[in-house]
Amino acid sequence: MNWLPKIGIASVIAVLIGMSNPAQAQQTKEASAMAKTGQTRAQQLMGDVAPKLAELTDNVLFGDVWERPGLVKRDRSLVTISALIAMNRPDQLRSHLALARQNGVTETEIVEAITHLAFYAGWPNAVSAVAIAREVFAQK
């Protein structure tokens, strides 16, 4: 099963069980792009310049860390978006907000997390996160 880490376990599961949540179109699009290009999203974004980083992203971060049983993916998503908001990482936040929705975090919960983080991570970071959340929510 060497092909699983390359296309992403979540994409395979989504295709196999026919997920019908708001992220289904995105997952189908990503699986289709993977089928056409033979590259994961990490490989597409950075593989030409930093192939080892793309490989580590696919195999270690998403293939191992995100699959560990100690936290469910929903909780991992909340932790990840919180860290990205606190560090003001808008590009990564955008994709992880979409992933959080795939992992069962509701828009209401995302907004509540952003509001809570305004007091711990800074008002400007929260305001920026709201703008990004608006974009992601509009992509339903």
Side-chain angles (χ1 to χ4, degrees):
M1 288 208 196
N2 275 346
W3 56 272
L4 277 177
K6 291 182 181 173
I7 63 169
I9 293 170
S11 296
V12 172
I13 292 170
V15 170
L16 291 176
I17 65 172
M19 293 178 71
S20 60
N21 63 25
Q24 182 178 9
Q26 179 65 26
Q27 289 173 339
T28 303
K29 196 184 314 179
E30 288 176 14
S32 176
M34 174 63 193
K36 289 178 185 174
T37 66
Q39 293 184 318
T40 65
R41 186 70 178 136
Q43 292 167 345
Q44 293 169 2
L45 289 173
M46 62 185 130
D48 60 330
V49 175
K52 185 62 177 183
L53 184 57
E55 177 188 328
L56 291 168
T57 300
D58 291 335
N59 297 334
V60 177
L61 178 59
F62 288 106
D64 181 24
V65 174
W66 272 84
E67 297 299 322
R68 293 175 51 82
L71 287 174
V72 295
K73 287 185 180 181
R74 181 186 184 287
D75 294 345
R76 288 188 190 280
S77 282
L78 278 170
V79 170
T80 302
I81 64 173
S82 295
L84 294 172
I85 290 167
M87 295 186 301
N88 195 18
R89 301 294 193 263
D91 293 332
Q92 292 75 24
L93 179 60
R94 190 171 285 108
S95 62
H96 277 282
L97 285 175
L99 182 60
R101 290 174 62 207
Q102 291 175 20
N103 289 335
V105 181
T106 67
E107 291 180 7
T108 301
E109 291 168 324
I110 290 169
V111 171
E112 190 62 29
I114 293 169
T115 302
H116 187 78
L117 284 164
F119 292 90
Y120 292 93
W123 213 265
N125 289 355
V127 172
S128 296
V130 167
I132 293 165
R134 179 182 292 120
E135 290 174 26
V136 173
F137 296 168
Q139 295 172 358
K140 289 184 179 183

